[in-house]
Amino acid sequence: MTETESIAYDVVVLGAGPVGENVADRTRAAGLSTAVVEGELVGGECSYWACMPSKALLRPVLARADARRLPGLRQAVQGPLDAPAVLARRDYFTSHWKDDGQVGWLDGIGADLYRGHGRLAGPRTVVVTGTDGVRHTLTARHAVAVCTGSRAQLPGLPDLADVGPWTSREATSSQVVPGRLIVVGGGVVATEMATAWQALGSQVTVLVRGKGLLSRMEPFAGELVAEALTEAGADVRTGTSVTSVTRENGTVVAVTDSGDRIEADEILFATGRAPRTDDIGLDTVGLEPGSWLPVDDSLRVTGTDWLYAVGDVNRRALLTHQGKYQARIAGAAIAARASGGSVLEAEPWGAHTATADHGAVPQVVFTDPEAAAVGLSLAEAEQAGHRVRAVDVEFSSVAGAGLYGDGYRGRARMVVDLEREILRGVTFVGPGVGELIHSASIAVAGEVPVSRLWHAVPSYPTVSEVWLRLLEAYRDS
């Protein structure tokens, strides 16, 4: 193995996904020399096996569903989706799993890319082992940022590896539509992939250990999504655990705790995530390999003055957009500390504080209907000790929803802090509501008083008039 001389940078970033890219962008903008280490594709999970391919698969599904709600268009879209065309468009949005464009972007901001496996080798030191056997030792004058993300976590079922189960990666990159697909799990990946593959022609069975889908959102979100999946032809079973999985002559056989035997061509386990920290040298700096990394609000790892953990690895909010937000905060904090500034803007909502992680995290689930939420659910707000009231309205009360499509079904909820008269959380469920959520994010993050929201006039006749209905319901309750 060939060793090279140690190379010094101001900042070394482990991981070139969206989070690592954004840390590098902010530190380079501040004039700090930055190295980025990546063992797979530059662009990371989101670009090739998560956000981009999944949404490319789902967009035709949702567009067809919307078209079917409109007389005059409904009859034109009754046939099946062109699955090869949908998969080809998905491949386009993943750049056919090639990262030339992303590499060019890194080069454009002046960051140095090191391809290979990066491991910490003591404080401020990273050793990169390339596929060519060359080892580079990188030292960081100011910071090392761990942005290695997370991976799918499979359950400990006997001989599961022999079955060749799908994880989120296989579910978003498959070149073949399985005739029958079992989806184990009830979260975002499970519901989105069940929606996509059912629409593309699979017979989908969803097995959920808990009481319902999307358990981290308001209960009505999972209920409406489950109803729609069932109407689309999926078999959704709650309160069901898988006790064994085998593959017999190419057929997957799953046995549940009730003794049911379910056969399929593939089985997807969407049952959680684990941090990609098991082999990055955490032990060399006194941390536990394979652990989540606790951080302060500037994303600096607890107990250190040089190590940052940004994105999924800190377990604050496993969402690409939230990781990118954290990266902007971390990059700004690294730059401020590197400049000799001893005082950061550490107050809530300050330039160096990831305050949104605590109470203003937005998320969209691209099912039909879509589910979108920001901030705290009613249960979360109550558990946090806030005195709150939930206000619900049906989208059928909004003219814009009826114009959007016949039979539009959906519900909206805002959770109002009764002491401060601000919103703690907002949830929308219905076709197309993903485009409504940023207004709610602004209201929650900005702590906009309910009295001021009356002056934010929604245009008529848009679906966003649901805001007016919510305010009216709160006033009259």
Side-chain angles (χ1 to χ4, degrees):
M1 184 171 290
T2 304
E3 298 275 353
T4 65
E5 293 184 5
S6 177
I7 307 170
Y9 289 89
D10 292 322
V11 180
V12 177
V13 179
L14 277 179
V19 175
E21 288 176 330
N22 273 266
V23 172
D25 184 48
R26 291 297 86 214
T27 56
R28 285 298 300 130
L32 301 177
S33 61
T34 303
V36 180
V37 181
E38 178 55 58
E40 290 190 288
L41 295 175
V42 175
E45 197 81 8
C46 175
S47 298
Y48 307 104
W49 299 287
C51 314
M52 294 304 289
S54 66
K55 296 342 170 245
L57 288 173
L58 285 158
R59 181 60 198 140
V61 176
L62 302 183
R64 183 180 66 168
D66 283 344
R68 287 179 170 177
R69 295 183 177 100
L70 295 172
L73 185 56
R74 180 180 300 132
Q75 295 307 314
V77 291
Q78 287 305 309
L81 290 169
D82 183 341
V86 173
L87 298 181
R89 186 171 185 267
R90 182 272 318 270
D91 294 352
Y92 168 80
F93 275 99
T94 62
S95 299
H96 299 274
W97 291 275
K98 296 180 181 179
D99 62 2
D100 299 13
Q102 303 273 28
V103 171
W105 181 86
L106 271 183
D107 184 62
I109 66 169
D112 291 344
L113 173 64
Y114 290 83
R115 287 193 181 273
H117 182 65
R119 298 184 85 255
L120 292 164
R124 293 185 170 85
T125 303
V126 174
V127 174
V128 185
T129 304
T131 55
D132 55 3
V134 176
R135 292 196 353 164
H136 297 277
T137 299
L138 312 178
T139 59
R141 299 183 188 93
H142 299 295
V144 174
V146 177
C147 309
T148 48
S150 63
R151 62 165 60 88
Q153 187 172 39
L154 291 169
L157 295 172
D159 302 317
L160 183 58
D162 295 339
V163 175
W166 278 10
T167 66
S168 53
R169 284 198 168 194
E170 290 78 19
T172 57
S173 64
S174 176
Q175 295 294 332
V176 177
V177 178
R180 300 163 297 172
L181 174 66
I182 299 170
V183 177
V184 183
V188 177
V189 172
T191 53
E192 288 190 345
M193 290 298 93
T195 299
W197 291 110
Q198 177 70 36
L200 285 167
S202 296
Q203 175 56 57
V204 172
T205 302
V206 182
L207 306 178
V208 189
R209 184 172 57 184
K211 296 180 180 178
L213 304 178
L214 302 175
S215 61
R216 295 187 178 182
M217 301 182 83
E218 298 286 9
F220 64 82
E223 292 166 5
L224 289 169
V225 170
E227 288 175 10
L229 278 171
T230 301
E231 289 176 5
D235 180 5
V236 180
R237 308 184 191 184
T238 58
T240 301
S241 296
V242 176
T243 57
S244 70
V245 182
T246 56
R247 191 179 285 272
E248 303 171 7
N249 298 319
T251 298
V252 172
V253 179
V255 178
T256 71
D257 51 357
S258 62
D260 290 341
R261 175 187 168 98
I262 306 168
E263 296 186 353
D265 299 286
E266 301 292 348
I267 184 168
L268 162 62
F269 282 93
T271 50
R273 307 288 295 179
R276 291 180 178 271
T277 61
D278 51 316
D279 190 22
I280 61 169
L282 291 183
D283 53 310
T284 70
V285 294
L287 297 171
E288 182 68 28
S291 64
W292 303 97
L293 299 176
V295 296
D296 62 21
D297 276 349
S298 71
L299 290 311
R300 191 165 59 175
V301 174
T302 305
T304 75
D305 62 0
W306 59 275
L307 185 63
Y308 292 72
V310 193
D312 282 11
V313 290
N314 60 41
R315 210 180 192 179
R316 286 162 71 105
L318 278 66
L319 295 160
T320 296
H321 50 269
Q322 209 67 20
K324 291 165 69 175
Y325 160 74
Q326 292 175 11
R328 296 189 292 270
I329 299 293
I334 291 168
R337 289 177 172 129
S339 70
S342 57
V343 179
L344 270 63
E345 294 184 33
E347 72 279 0
W349 310 111
H352 309 123
T353 307
T355 310
D357 286 348
H358 302 301
V361 175
Q363 182 175 20
V364 179
V365 185
F366 291 84
T367 46
D368 178 35
E370 291 178 353
V374 63
L376 305 179
S377 67
L378 174 61
E380 289 170 338
E382 290 175 338
Q383 289 166 7
H386 301 298
R387 191 167 67 88
V388 293
R389 178 188 302 158
V391 179
D392 292 0
V393 299
E394 299 295 324
F395 272 99
S396 57
S397 65
V398 179
L403 289 168
Y404 189 98
D406 290 358
Y408 188 110
R409 286 184 296 172
R411 186 181 304 174
R413 167 174 288 182
M414 67 179 188
V415 178
V416 183
D417 186 311
L418 297 176
E419 294 179 357
R420 297 186 60 197
E421 286 279 302
I422 61 172
L423 304 187
R424 290 291 179 183
V426 180
T427 299
F428 300 126
V429 182
V433 298
E435 298 301 333
L436 288 179
I437 200 60
H438 192 58
S439 59
S441 296
I442 293 169
V444 172
E447 299 182 340
V448 180
V450 171
S451 59
R452 180 60 61 87
L453 287 174
W454 280 99
H455 297 279
V457 182
S459 299
Y460 182 83
T462 65
V463 181
S464 62
E465 273 202 306
V466 72
W467 279 105
L468 182 55
R469 299 288 93 81
L470 285 166
L471 292 170
E472 291 168 343
Y474 177 64
R475 176 197 63 195
D476 297 338
S477 61

